[in-house]
Amino acid sequence: MKIEFSEIATPSEGVIAVGVTEERTLGATGRALDEQTGGALTRALSAGRFKGKQGSTSIVVAPHGLELDAVLLVGLGQPGKLDGRQLRAVGGVAVGRMNAAGAKAGAIAVDAVEGCAVAPAEMAAEIALGARLGSYSFDKYHTKKKDEDRKSLGGLTVMLDEPAAAEQAFAANASLAEGVFATRNLVSEPSNVMYPRTIAEDVEALAADGVEVELLDRGRMAALGMGSLLGVAQGSENEPYLGIMRWNGGPEGQQPVAFIGKGVTFDTGGISIKPSQGMEEMKYDMAGAGAVIGLMKCLAGREARVNAVGVVALVENMPDGKAQRPGDVVTSMSGQTIEVINTDAEGRLVLADALWYTQATFKPRFMIDLATLTGAIIVSLGTYQAGLFSNDDELSERLIAAGRESGEEVWRLPLGERYDKDIDSAIADMKNVGKGREAGSVAGAVFLQRFVNGVPWAHLDIAGMAWMKRDDDPTVPKGASGFGVRLLDRLVRAHYEA
Ligand code: BES
Ligand code: MN
Ligand code: ZN
Protein backbone atom coordinates (compact mmCIF):
# COMPACT_ATOMS: atom_id res chain seq x y z
CA MET A 1 0.00 0.00 0.00
CA LYS A 2 1.45 3.30 -1.15
CA ILE A 3 1.10 6.34 1.14
CA GLU A 4 1.02 9.90 -0.13
CA PHE A 5 0.35 13.26 1.46
CA SER A 6 -1.66 15.96 -0.22
CA GLU A 7 -3.79 18.99 0.43
CA ILE A 8 -7.41 18.42 1.29
CA ALA A 9 -9.62 17.76 -1.73
CA THR A 10 -12.66 15.59 -2.28
CA PRO A 11 -11.52 12.45 -4.14
CA SER A 12 -13.59 11.23 -7.08
CA GLU A 13 -13.20 7.54 -6.22
CA GLY A 14 -12.69 5.17 -3.33
CA VAL A 15 -13.31 5.91 0.32
CA ILE A 16 -12.52 9.05 2.29
CA ALA A 17 -12.21 8.85 6.05
CA VAL A 18 -12.92 11.77 8.35
CA GLY A 19 -12.60 11.97 12.11
CA VAL A 20 -15.50 12.30 14.50
CA THR A 21 -14.81 13.30 18.08
CA GLU A 22 -16.92 12.06 20.90
CA GLU A 23 -20.54 13.19 21.00
CA ARG A 24 -20.75 13.16 17.22
CA THR A 25 -18.63 16.18 16.27
CA LEU A 26 -17.30 16.45 12.73
CA GLY A 27 -14.12 18.31 11.80
CA ALA A 28 -13.74 20.87 9.00
CA THR A 29 -13.55 18.33 6.16
CA GLY A 30 -16.41 16.32 7.61
CA ARG A 31 -18.57 19.43 7.75
CA ALA A 32 -17.69 20.30 4.15
CA LEU A 33 -18.60 16.80 2.97
CA ASP A 34 -21.78 16.99 4.99
CA GLU A 35 -22.74 20.11 3.10
CA GLN A 36 -21.84 18.59 -0.28
CA THR A 37 -24.07 15.60 0.48
CA GLY A 38 -27.00 17.63 1.66
CA GLY A 39 -26.50 16.59 5.28
CA ALA A 40 -25.96 12.85 4.74
CA LEU A 41 -23.24 12.68 7.38
CA THR A 42 -25.26 14.47 10.05
CA ARG A 43 -28.14 12.14 9.31
CA ALA A 44 -25.88 9.09 9.53
CA LEU A 45 -24.52 10.39 12.83
CA SER A 46 -27.94 10.74 14.37
CA ALA A 47 -29.34 7.53 12.93
CA GLY A 48 -27.17 4.96 14.67
CA ARG A 49 -25.19 4.16 17.79
CA PHE A 50 -21.96 5.58 16.42
CA LYS A 51 -20.94 8.54 18.57
CA GLY A 52 -17.26 8.91 17.72
CA LYS A 53 -15.83 6.63 20.38
CA GLN A 54 -12.10 6.06 19.82
CA GLY A 55 -11.60 3.25 17.33
CA SER A 56 -15.23 2.85 16.31
CA THR A 57 -16.37 3.43 12.73
CA SER A 58 -19.45 4.01 10.66
CA ILE A 59 -19.60 3.96 6.88
CA VAL A 60 -21.84 6.03 4.65
CA VAL A 61 -21.99 4.26 1.30
CA ALA A 62 -22.66 6.00 -2.04
CA PRO A 63 -23.49 9.40 -0.57
CA HIS A 64 -25.62 11.52 -2.82
CA GLY A 65 -23.78 14.46 -4.39
CA LEU A 66 -20.31 12.82 -4.36
CA GLU A 67 -18.63 10.61 -6.97
CA LEU A 68 -16.68 8.58 -4.44
CA ASP A 69 -17.82 5.22 -3.06
CA ALA A 70 -18.15 5.99 0.60
CA VAL A 71 -17.37 8.30 3.49
CA LEU A 72 -15.90 6.52 6.48
CA LEU A 73 -16.51 8.10 9.85
CA VAL A 74 -13.73 7.19 12.27
CA GLY A 75 -14.09 7.79 15.99
CA LEU A 76 -11.36 9.92 17.57
CA GLY A 77 -12.77 9.78 21.08
CA GLN A 78 -12.06 12.65 23.45
CA PRO A 79 -9.74 15.27 21.91
CA GLY A 80 -7.77 15.70 25.15
CA LYS A 81 -6.87 12.01 25.16
CA LEU A 82 -5.71 11.80 21.53
CA ASP A 83 -2.05 10.79 21.70
CA GLY A 84 0.33 9.05 19.30
CA ARG A 85 -0.90 5.64 20.24
CA GLN A 86 -4.57 6.47 19.65
CA LEU A 87 -3.76 8.23 16.39
CA ARG A 88 -1.89 5.18 15.10
CA ALA A 89 -4.89 3.08 16.03
CA VAL A 90 -7.10 5.48 14.04
CA GLY A 91 -4.89 4.96 10.98
CA GLY A 92 -4.95 1.19 11.44
CA VAL A 93 -8.72 1.10 11.93
CA ALA A 94 -9.30 3.25 8.85
CA VAL A 95 -7.31 1.02 6.48
CA GLY A 96 -8.79 -2.08 8.08
CA ARG A 97 -12.29 -0.81 7.40
CA MET A 98 -11.37 0.31 3.86
CA ASN A 99 -9.93 -3.12 3.09
CA ALA A 100 -13.03 -4.78 4.50
CA ALA A 101 -15.14 -2.60 2.20
CA GLY A 102 -12.98 -3.64 -0.77
CA ALA A 103 -11.81 -0.10 -1.49
CA LYS A 104 -8.89 0.20 -3.90
CA ALA A 105 -8.13 3.84 -3.14
CA GLY A 106 -8.40 5.48 0.25
CA ALA A 107 -7.99 8.95 1.67
CA ILE A 108 -7.88 10.18 5.25
CA ALA A 109 -8.58 13.83 5.95
CA VAL A 110 -6.66 15.13 8.95
CA ASP A 111 -8.18 18.29 10.35
CA ALA A 112 -7.07 20.23 13.40
CA VAL A 113 -8.97 18.86 16.41
CA GLU A 114 -9.97 21.42 18.98
CA GLY A 115 -8.65 20.50 22.40
CA CYS A 116 -6.04 18.07 21.04
CA ALA A 117 -2.41 18.81 21.88
CA VAL A 118 -1.03 17.15 18.74
CA ALA A 119 -0.55 19.41 15.70
CA PRO A 120 -2.05 18.23 12.38
CA ALA A 121 1.31 17.41 10.70
CA GLU A 122 2.28 15.22 13.63
CA MET A 123 -1.20 13.72 13.75
CA ALA A 124 -0.92 12.85 10.07
CA ALA A 125 2.50 11.22 10.56
CA GLU A 126 1.13 9.03 13.38
CA ILE A 127 -2.06 8.13 11.51
CA ALA A 128 0.02 7.24 8.45
CA LEU A 129 2.30 5.01 10.54
CA GLY A 130 -0.68 3.18 12.02
CA ALA A 131 -2.21 2.79 8.57
CA ARG A 132 1.01 1.42 7.18
CA LEU A 133 1.56 -1.02 10.06
CA GLY A 134 -2.03 -2.21 9.81
CA SER A 135 -1.80 -2.77 6.07
CA TYR A 136 0.72 -5.60 6.42
CA SER A 137 -0.04 -9.03 5.05
CA PHE A 138 2.07 -12.09 4.30
CA ASP A 139 0.39 -14.02 1.55
CA LYS A 140 3.20 -14.95 -0.80
CA TYR A 141 2.49 -18.66 -0.42
CA HIS A 142 -1.18 -18.39 -1.37
CA THR A 143 -1.08 -19.16 -5.07
CA LYS A 144 -4.84 -19.55 -5.43
CA LYS A 145 -6.17 -16.79 -3.24
CA LYS A 146 -8.79 -14.71 -5.02
CA ASP A 147 -8.29 -10.99 -5.29
CA GLU A 148 -11.36 -10.37 -3.17
CA ASP A 149 -9.72 -12.29 -0.33
CA ARG A 150 -6.61 -10.13 -0.40
CA LYS A 151 -6.28 -6.66 1.06
CA SER A 152 -7.74 -4.37 -1.57
CA LEU A 153 -6.24 -1.01 -0.75
CA GLY A 154 -3.52 -0.07 -3.22
CA GLY A 155 -2.92 3.47 -2.10
CA LEU A 156 -3.71 5.82 0.74
CA THR A 157 -3.66 9.61 0.55
CA VAL A 158 -3.32 11.42 3.84
CA MET A 159 -4.82 14.88 3.37
CA LEU A 160 -4.13 17.96 5.41
CA ASP A 161 -3.36 21.67 5.07
CA GLU A 162 0.41 21.16 5.44
CA PRO A 163 1.25 18.03 3.45
CA ALA A 164 4.96 18.88 3.20
CA ALA A 165 5.35 19.14 6.97
CA ALA A 166 3.53 15.85 7.43
CA GLU A 167 5.67 14.13 4.84
CA GLN A 168 8.77 15.30 6.66
CA ALA A 169 7.43 14.17 10.01
CA PHE A 170 6.52 10.79 8.48
CA ALA A 171 9.95 10.03 7.01
CA ALA A 172 11.34 8.44 10.19
CA ASN A 173 8.09 6.55 10.68
CA ALA A 174 8.33 5.13 7.18
CA SER A 175 11.73 3.67 8.07
CA LEU A 176 10.28 2.31 11.28
CA ALA A 177 7.52 0.58 9.35
CA GLU A 178 10.11 -0.84 6.94
CA GLY A 179 11.97 -2.28 9.91
CA VAL A 180 8.80 -3.76 11.40
CA PHE A 181 7.89 -5.31 8.03
CA ALA A 182 11.39 -6.79 7.66
CA THR A 183 10.93 -8.44 11.06
CA ARG A 184 7.41 -9.65 10.27
CA ASN A 185 8.62 -11.14 6.98
CA LEU A 186 11.50 -12.97 8.64
CA VAL A 187 9.30 -14.34 11.39
CA SER A 188 6.47 -15.33 9.04
CA GLU A 189 8.71 -17.43 6.81
CA PRO A 190 8.73 -21.15 7.55
CA SER A 191 11.88 -22.81 8.85
CA ASN A 192 12.65 -24.61 5.60
CA VAL A 193 13.04 -21.20 3.99
CA MET A 194 14.51 -19.20 6.86
CA TYR A 195 17.26 -21.12 8.62
CA PRO A 196 20.58 -19.86 9.96
CA ARG A 197 22.31 -19.41 6.61
CA THR A 198 19.39 -17.72 4.85
CA ILE A 199 18.84 -15.33 7.75
CA ALA A 200 22.57 -14.66 7.75
CA GLU A 201 22.23 -13.73 4.08
CA ASP A 202 19.51 -11.25 5.04
CA VAL A 203 21.90 -9.81 7.60
CA GLU A 204 24.54 -9.43 4.89
CA ALA A 205 22.01 -7.70 2.66
CA LEU A 206 21.81 -4.87 5.22
CA ALA A 207 25.15 -3.70 3.85
CA ALA A 208 23.08 -2.05 1.11
CA ASP A 209 21.46 0.12 3.82
CA GLY A 210 24.85 1.28 5.08
CA VAL A 211 25.12 -1.24 7.91
CA GLU A 212 28.52 -2.80 8.54
CA VAL A 213 27.98 -6.55 8.64
CA GLU A 214 30.03 -9.55 9.66
CA LEU A 215 29.23 -13.23 9.98
CA LEU A 216 30.97 -15.69 12.27
CA ASP A 217 30.71 -19.29 11.11
CA ARG A 218 31.10 -22.45 13.16
CA GLY A 219 34.91 -22.42 12.86
CA ARG A 220 35.23 -18.84 14.08
CA MET A 221 32.82 -19.46 16.94
CA ALA A 222 34.71 -22.61 17.95
CA ALA A 223 37.95 -20.64 17.97
CA LEU A 224 36.31 -18.07 20.27
CA GLY A 225 35.24 -20.87 22.62
CA MET A 226 31.47 -20.57 22.11
CA GLY A 227 30.78 -24.10 23.35
CA SER A 228 27.39 -23.17 24.75
CA LEU A 229 25.97 -21.89 21.46
CA LEU A 230 27.63 -24.63 19.42
CA GLY A 231 26.25 -27.32 21.71
CA VAL A 232 22.75 -26.33 20.66
CA ALA A 233 23.70 -26.23 16.97
CA GLN A 234 25.40 -29.62 16.89
CA GLY A 235 22.23 -31.63 16.28
CA SER A 236 21.35 -29.74 13.11
CA GLU A 237 22.40 -30.20 9.51
CA ASN A 238 22.11 -26.43 9.19
CA GLU A 239 25.30 -24.58 10.01
CA PRO A 240 25.02 -21.95 12.77
CA TYR A 241 26.02 -18.32 12.33
CA LEU A 242 26.54 -15.33 14.54
CA GLY A 243 25.40 -12.25 12.62
CA ILE A 244 26.89 -8.90 13.60
CA MET A 245 25.51 -5.57 12.42
CA ARG A 246 26.91 -2.12 13.15
CA TRP A 247 25.19 1.15 12.42
CA ASN A 248 27.58 4.04 13.05
CA GLY A 249 25.35 7.09 12.93
CA GLY A 250 26.66 8.63 16.14
CA PRO A 251 29.84 10.52 16.98
CA GLU A 252 33.02 8.59 16.31
CA GLY A 253 34.31 6.82 19.38
CA GLN A 254 30.97 6.99 21.20
CA GLN A 255 30.21 3.73 23.00
CA PRO A 256 27.50 1.84 21.12
CA VAL A 257 24.18 0.59 22.38
CA ALA A 258 23.79 -3.13 21.73
CA PHE A 259 20.86 -5.37 20.85
CA ILE A 260 21.12 -9.14 20.92
CA GLY A 261 18.54 -11.53 19.47
CA LYS A 262 17.72 -15.19 20.00
CA GLY A 263 17.62 -16.69 16.55
CA VAL A 264 16.59 -20.31 16.99
CA THR A 265 15.22 -20.83 13.50
CA PHE A 266 13.33 -23.90 14.65
CA ASP A 267 13.06 -25.28 18.17
CA THR A 268 12.11 -28.94 18.31
CA GLY A 269 13.40 -29.04 21.87
CA GLY A 270 16.30 -31.25 20.77
CA ILE A 271 16.64 -34.58 22.61
CA SER A 272 14.30 -33.13 25.28
CA ILE A 273 11.86 -33.09 22.40
CA LYS A 274 8.66 -31.06 22.47
CA PRO A 275 5.20 -32.61 22.00
CA SER A 276 4.15 -32.51 18.34
CA GLN A 277 0.97 -30.59 19.16
CA GLY A 278 1.69 -26.97 18.27
CA MET A 279 5.36 -27.57 17.49
CA GLU A 280 4.95 -25.77 14.17
CA GLU A 281 4.80 -22.54 16.16
CA MET A 282 8.45 -22.93 16.97
CA LYS A 283 9.34 -21.41 13.61
CA TYR A 284 8.97 -18.08 15.38
CA ASP A 285 11.66 -18.90 17.92
CA MET A 286 13.90 -16.56 15.97
CA ALA A 287 11.67 -13.53 16.58
CA GLY A 288 14.26 -11.92 18.86
CA ALA A 289 16.82 -12.05 16.07
CA GLY A 290 14.17 -10.89 13.63
CA ALA A 291 13.47 -7.85 15.80
CA VAL A 292 17.17 -6.96 16.03
CA ILE A 293 17.53 -7.17 12.25
CA GLY A 294 14.41 -5.04 11.73
CA LEU A 295 15.61 -2.52 14.29
CA MET A 296 18.99 -2.16 12.60
CA LYS A 297 17.23 -1.67 9.27
CA CYS A 298 15.06 1.02 10.84
CA LEU A 299 17.98 2.85 12.48
CA ALA A 300 19.95 2.81 9.24
CA GLY A 301 16.91 3.80 7.18
CA ARG A 302 16.24 6.90 9.22
CA GLU A 303 19.94 7.61 9.71
CA ALA A 304 19.65 7.58 13.46
CA ARG A 305 22.35 9.60 15.16
CA VAL A 306 23.51 6.70 17.29
CA ASN A 307 26.14 4.01 17.26
CA ALA A 308 24.30 0.72 17.51
CA VAL A 309 25.37 -2.91 17.39
CA GLY A 310 23.05 -5.80 16.58
CA VAL A 311 24.09 -9.38 17.25
CA VAL A 312 21.95 -12.35 16.25
CA ALA A 313 22.63 -15.93 17.31
CA LEU A 314 21.34 -18.16 14.50
CA VAL A 315 20.98 -21.87 15.22
CA GLU A 316 18.50 -24.69 14.78
CA ASN A 317 17.65 -26.96 17.72
CA MET A 318 17.22 -30.51 16.42
CA PRO A 319 17.31 -34.05 17.82
CA ASP A 320 19.93 -36.19 16.09
CA GLY A 321 22.63 -38.79 16.63
CA LYS A 322 25.02 -35.89 17.04
CA ALA A 323 22.73 -33.74 19.18
CA GLN A 324 23.73 -32.79 22.68
CA ARG A 325 22.26 -34.88 25.50
CA PRO A 326 20.64 -33.93 28.79
CA GLY A 327 23.45 -34.03 31.33
CA ASP A 328 26.14 -32.86 28.93
CA VAL A 329 28.46 -30.18 30.26
CA VAL A 330 29.53 -27.40 27.89
CA THR A 331 32.04 -24.59 28.33
CA SER A 332 30.89 -21.12 27.31
CA MET A 333 33.04 -18.35 25.84
CA SER A 334 33.07 -16.72 29.29
CA GLY A 335 34.85 -19.81 30.64
CA GLN A 336 31.88 -20.71 32.81
CA THR A 337 30.63 -24.29 32.51
CA ILE A 338 26.99 -25.28 32.08
CA GLU A 339 25.21 -28.55 32.76
CA VAL A 340 22.55 -28.96 30.09
CA ILE A 341 19.68 -30.48 32.06
CA ASN A 342 17.10 -29.81 29.37
CA THR A 343 18.07 -29.39 25.73
CA ASP A 344 14.81 -27.45 25.23
CA ALA A 345 16.12 -24.60 27.36
CA GLU A 346 18.37 -23.74 24.41
CA GLY A 347 17.71 -20.02 24.01
CA ARG A 348 19.70 -19.11 27.12
CA LEU A 349 22.54 -21.34 25.90
CA VAL A 350 22.91 -19.50 22.61
CA LEU A 351 22.42 -16.08 24.20
CA ALA A 352 25.05 -16.80 26.84
CA ASP A 353 27.79 -16.74 24.22
CA ALA A 354 26.19 -13.96 22.19
CA LEU A 355 25.98 -11.68 25.25
CA TRP A 356 29.49 -12.43 26.39
CA TYR A 357 30.85 -11.85 22.90
CA THR A 358 28.98 -8.55 22.60
CA GLN A 359 30.23 -7.04 25.84
CA ALA A 360 33.79 -8.29 25.27
CA THR A 361 33.96 -7.03 21.68
CA PHE A 362 32.03 -3.76 21.75
CA LYS A 363 32.12 -2.48 25.36
CA PRO A 364 28.55 -1.22 24.90
CA ARG A 365 26.71 1.37 27.03
CA PHE A 366 24.05 -1.24 27.55
CA MET A 367 22.88 -4.54 26.15
CA ILE A 368 19.25 -5.41 25.51
CA ASP A 369 18.43 -8.94 24.47
CA LEU A 370 15.17 -10.06 22.90
CA ALA A 371 14.18 -13.69 23.09
CA THR A 372 11.20 -15.99 22.84
CA LEU A 373 12.76 -17.56 25.90
CA THR A 374 10.08 -19.21 27.99
CA GLY A 375 6.56 -20.55 27.78
CA ALA A 376 6.30 -19.47 31.40
CA ILE A 377 6.22 -15.79 30.44
CA ILE A 378 2.97 -16.48 28.58
CA VAL A 379 1.58 -18.01 31.76
CA SER A 380 2.67 -14.89 33.71
CA LEU A 381 1.78 -12.03 31.37
CA GLY A 382 -0.26 -13.48 28.55
CA THR A 383 -0.06 -11.74 25.20
CA TYR A 384 -0.38 -8.09 26.23
CA GLN A 385 3.05 -7.29 27.66
CA ALA A 386 6.55 -8.70 27.32
CA GLY A 387 8.60 -9.63 30.37
CA LEU A 388 11.40 -7.25 31.32
CA PHE A 389 14.33 -8.29 33.50
CA SER A 390 17.16 -5.90 34.17
CA ASN A 391 20.11 -5.10 36.39
CA ASP A 392 19.60 -1.38 35.77
CA ASP A 393 16.73 0.75 37.09
CA GLU A 394 17.23 3.66 34.70
CA LEU A 395 17.25 1.44 31.64
CA SER A 396 14.15 -0.33 32.97
CA GLU A 397 12.25 2.91 33.52
CA ARG A 398 13.15 4.07 30.04
CA LEU A 399 12.00 0.80 28.50
CA ILE A 400 8.72 0.88 30.40
CA ALA A 401 8.06 4.45 29.22
CA ALA A 402 9.06 3.61 25.63
CA GLY A 403 6.66 0.69 25.86
CA ARG A 404 3.76 2.90 26.83
CA GLU A 405 4.49 5.39 24.08
CA SER A 406 5.10 2.83 21.35
CA GLY A 407 2.29 0.52 22.37
CA GLU A 408 4.76 -2.35 22.81
CA GLU A 409 4.53 -2.67 26.55
CA VAL A 410 6.86 -4.40 28.98
CA TRP A 411 6.39 -5.41 32.60
CA ARG A 412 9.33 -5.72 34.95
CA LEU A 413 9.87 -8.97 36.83
CA PRO A 414 12.51 -9.72 39.42
CA LEU A 415 16.04 -11.03 39.41
CA GLY A 416 17.87 -11.71 42.66
CA GLU A 417 20.24 -13.90 44.60
CA ARG A 418 17.74 -16.53 45.65
CA TYR A 419 16.59 -17.11 42.10
CA ASP A 420 20.18 -17.09 40.97
CA LYS A 421 21.09 -19.80 43.44
CA ASP A 422 18.40 -22.03 41.94
CA ILE A 423 20.50 -22.55 38.82
CA ASP A 424 23.63 -23.76 40.65
CA SER A 425 24.64 -27.22 39.44
CA ALA A 426 26.21 -30.13 41.30
CA ILE A 427 28.67 -30.82 38.50
CA ALA A 428 29.25 -27.46 36.75
CA ASP A 429 29.11 -23.70 37.40
CA MET A 430 25.41 -23.68 36.58
CA LYS A 431 22.61 -25.67 34.99
CA ASN A 432 20.29 -24.41 32.30
CA VAL A 433 17.04 -24.80 34.28
CA GLY A 434 15.82 -23.68 37.70
CA LYS A 435 13.38 -25.33 40.06
CA GLY A 436 11.03 -27.14 37.71
CA ARG A 437 7.91 -25.11 37.04
CA GLU A 438 8.65 -22.42 39.61
CA ALA A 439 9.51 -18.97 38.25
CA GLY A 440 10.59 -20.40 34.90
CA SER A 441 11.08 -17.04 33.22
CA VAL A 442 13.16 -15.70 36.10
CA ALA A 443 15.38 -18.78 35.90
CA GLY A 444 16.07 -17.96 32.27
CA ALA A 445 16.83 -14.35 33.13
CA VAL A 446 19.24 -15.04 36.01
CA PHE A 447 21.02 -17.48 33.73
CA LEU A 448 21.53 -14.74 31.13
CA GLN A 449 22.63 -12.32 33.83
CA ARG A 450 25.65 -14.53 34.52
CA PHE A 451 26.92 -13.64 31.04
CA VAL A 452 26.57 -9.85 30.99
CA ASN A 453 29.70 -9.21 33.02
CA GLY A 454 28.14 -6.33 34.98
CA VAL A 455 27.21 -4.28 31.89
CA PRO A 456 23.83 -2.46 32.15
CA TRP A 457 21.48 -4.96 30.59
CA ALA A 458 17.84 -5.75 30.00
CA HIS A 459 16.29 -9.00 28.87
CA LEU A 460 12.95 -8.95 27.07
CA ASP A 461 11.11 -12.25 27.07
CA ILE A 462 8.87 -11.86 24.04
CA ALA A 463 7.51 -15.43 23.79
CA GLY A 464 3.95 -14.14 24.26
CA MET A 465 4.30 -11.13 21.98
CA ALA A 466 6.09 -12.29 18.84
CA TRP A 467 3.14 -14.08 17.28
CA MET A 468 -0.38 -12.70 17.52
CA LYS A 469 -3.41 -14.95 17.44
CA ARG A 470 -5.75 -12.04 18.08
CA ASP A 471 -6.32 -8.98 15.94
CA ASP A 472 -7.65 -6.41 18.36
CA ASP A 473 -4.69 -4.07 17.76
CA PRO A 474 -5.39 -2.38 14.42
CA THR A 475 -1.67 -1.82 13.86
CA VAL A 476 -0.78 -5.50 14.35
CA PRO A 477 -2.43 -8.01 12.00
CA LYS A 478 -2.56 -11.67 13.08
CA GLY A 479 0.70 -13.59 12.83
CA ALA A 480 4.19 -12.14 13.18
CA SER A 481 3.91 -8.89 15.15
CA GLY A 482 7.43 -7.53 14.75
CA PHE A 483 7.39 -6.87 18.49
CA GLY A 484 10.43 -5.01 19.77
CA VAL A 485 11.23 -2.83 16.77
CA ARG A 486 8.81 -0.04 17.71
CA LEU A 487 9.74 -0.28 21.39
CA LEU A 488 13.47 -0.02 20.82
CA ASP A 489 13.23 2.60 18.10
CA ARG A 490 11.28 4.70 20.59
CA LEU A 491 13.90 4.06 23.30
CA VAL A 492 16.73 5.12 21.00
CA ARG A 493 14.85 8.19 19.71
CA ALA A 494 14.05 9.34 23.23
CA HIS A 495 17.40 8.89 24.94
CA TYR A 496 20.35 7.80 22.85
CA GLU A 497 20.60 10.03 19.82
CA ALA A 498 23.30 12.68 19.70
N1 BES B 1 11.26 -21.43 22.52
C1 BES B 1 10.82 -21.93 23.76
C2 BES B 1 9.89 -20.97 24.51
C3 BES B 1 8.58 -20.65 23.84
C4 BES B 1 7.43 -21.32 24.21
C5 BES B 1 8.49 -19.66 22.91
C6 BES B 1 6.22 -21.01 23.63
C7 BES B 1 7.29 -19.33 22.32
C8 BES B 1 6.15 -20.00 22.69
C9 BES B 1 12.03 -22.20 24.65
O1 BES B 1 13.18 -22.57 24.00
C10 BES B 1 11.66 -23.32 25.55
O2 BES B 1 11.45 -24.40 25.06
N2 BES B 1 11.59 -23.06 26.84
C11 BES B 1 11.25 -24.06 27.79
C12 BES B 1 12.18 -23.90 28.97
C13 BES B 1 12.14 -25.03 29.94
C14 BES B 1 12.64 -26.31 29.28
C15 BES B 1 13.00 -24.69 31.13
C16 BES B 1 9.81 -23.84 28.18
O3 BES B 1 9.34 -22.71 28.20
O4 BES B 1 9.13 -24.84 28.42
MN1 MN C 1 13.25 -24.62 23.61
ZN1 ZN D 1 13.38 -21.92 22.09
Side-chain angles (χ1 to χ4, degrees), residues 329-377:
V329 174
V330 295
T331 302
S332 66
M333 182 184 173
S334 72
Q336 301 176 93
T337 56
I338 304 159
E339 181 188 12
V340 179
I341 297 290
N342 190 321
T343 66
D344 196 12
E346 85 296 340
R348 62 201 74 180
L349 295 172
V350 306
L351 285 173
D353 281 334
L355 285 165
W356 189 267
Y357 173 83
T358 303
Q359 60 80 29
T361 310
F362 301 111
K363 304 276 175 269
R365 292 167 78 172
F366 66 68
M367 299 195 284
I368 297 177
D369 75 76
L370 299 104
T372 46
L373 206 71
T374 65
I377 202 69

Side-chain angles (χ1 to χ4, degrees), residues 262 264 267 282 285 344 346-347 372:
K262 169 180 173 181
V264 175
D267 181 14
M282 285 302 110
D285 211 17
D344 196 12
E346 85 296 340
T372 46

Side-chain angles (χ1 to χ4, degrees), residues 92-157:
V93 163
V95 300
R97 198 71 188 73
M98 288 173 185
N99 276 316
K104 291 204 172 67
I108 301 181
V110 182
D111 297 308
V113 175
E114 205 183 317
C116 168
V118 190
E122 190 54 36
M123 282 176 72
E126 295 286 13
I127 289 173
L129 174 60
R132 181 108 187 96
L133 291 171
S135 75
Y136 180 81
S137 59
F138 186 82
D139 47 16
K140 66 192 268 198
Y141 295 117
H142 283 292
T143 65
K144 295 178 179 175
K145 205 165 179 172
K146 296 189 208 83
D147 268 354
E148 68 229 46
D149 296 324
R150 294 182 197 267
K151 290 190 172 169
S152 59
L153 211 57
L156 179 73
T157 308

Side-chain angles (χ1 to χ4, degrees), residues 159-393:
M159 299 175 167
L160 72 164
D161 287 338
E162 310 159 315
E167 204 165 340
Q168 207 180 351
F170 179 65
N173 285 350
S175 297
L176 171 56
E178 285 269 310
V180 172
F181 282 19
T183 304
R184 288 178 183 172
N185 287 341
L186 282 167
V187 177
S188 299
E189 289 285 0
S191 301
N192 61 328
V193 175
M194 279 301 169
Y195 46 90
R197 188 173 58 74
T198 50
I199 298 186
E201 284 165 5
D202 269 35
V203 167
E204 277 187 316
L206 283 181
D209 300 63
V211 178
E212 236 175 70
V213 294
E214 191 187 353
L215 296 179
L216 304 188
D217 63 11
R218 186 194 294 271
R220 290 281 304 281
M221 290 191 278
L224 287 165
M226 295 188 176
S228 184
L229 184 153
L230 291 174
V232 175
Q234 82 191 29
S236 172
E237 290 290 321
N238 286 311
E239 288 291 307
Y241 289 94
L242 194 75
I244 300 145
M245 295 154 273
R246 302 199 67 179
W247 166 252
N248 302 314
E252 215 182 299
Q254 187 190 65
Q255 269 185 293
V257 295
F259 304 99
I260 299 95
K262 169 180 173 181
V264 175
T265 63
F266 195 78
D267 181 14
T268 63
I271 296 300
S272 313
I273 198 162
K274 289 182 180 295
S276 49
Q277 178 78 41
M279 201 203 273
E280 71 283 355
E281 290 185 3
M282 285 302 110
K283 75 169 187 178
Y284 76 73
D285 211 17
M286 39 58 70
V292 170
I293 294 168
L295 176 68
M296 295 305 290
K297 191 173 177 65
C298 157
L299 295 178
R302 67 176 183 80
E303 300 188 345
R305 295 186 309 277
V306 67
N307 294 334
V309 178
V311 174
V312 290
L314 304 168
V315 302
E316 188 179 49
N317 188 22
M318 295 293 256
D320 182 76
K322 292 204 209 88
Q324 74 179 343
R325 292 148 290 254
D328 282 5
V329 174
V330 295
T331 302
S332 66
M333 182 184 173
S334 72
Q336 301 176 93
T337 56
I338 304 159
E339 181 188 12
V340 179
I341 297 290
N342 190 321
T343 66
D344 196 12
E346 85 296 340
R348 62 201 74 180
L349 295 172
V350 306
L351 285 173
D353 281 334
L355 285 165
W356 189 267
Y357 173 83
T358 303
Q359 60 80 29
T361 310
F362 301 111
K363 304 276 175 269
R365 292 167 78 172
F366 66 68
M367 299 195 284
I368 297 177
D369 75 76
L370 299 104
T372 46
L373 206 71
T374 65
I377 202 69
I378 311 176
V379 177
S380 306
L381 300 176
T383 63
Y384 298 117
Q385 302 200 27
L388 159 66
F389 301 84
S390 179
N391 61 4
D392 191 283
D393 291 343

Side-chain angles (χ1 to χ4, degrees), residues 376-432:
I377 202 69
I378 311 176
V379 177
S380 306
L381 300 176
T383 63
Y384 298 117
Q385 302 200 27
L388 159 66
F389 301 84
S390 179
N391 61 4
D392 191 283
D393 291 343
E394 184 184 59
L395 185 57
S396 297
E397 289 306 321
R398 289 177 171 183
L399 276 164
I400 291 166
R404 274 200 214 102
E405 290 155 14
S406 66
E408 294 190 329
E409 291 181 72
V410 297
W411 189 264
R412 192 174 183 184
L413 291 162
L415 299 163
E417 260 175 59
R418 285 175 296 176
Y419 295 108
D420 180 77
K421 214 166 153 295
D422 286 346
I423 61 167
D424 285 342
S425 155
I427 185 178
D429 295 332
M430 69 195 86
K431 54 185 179 174
N432 74 333

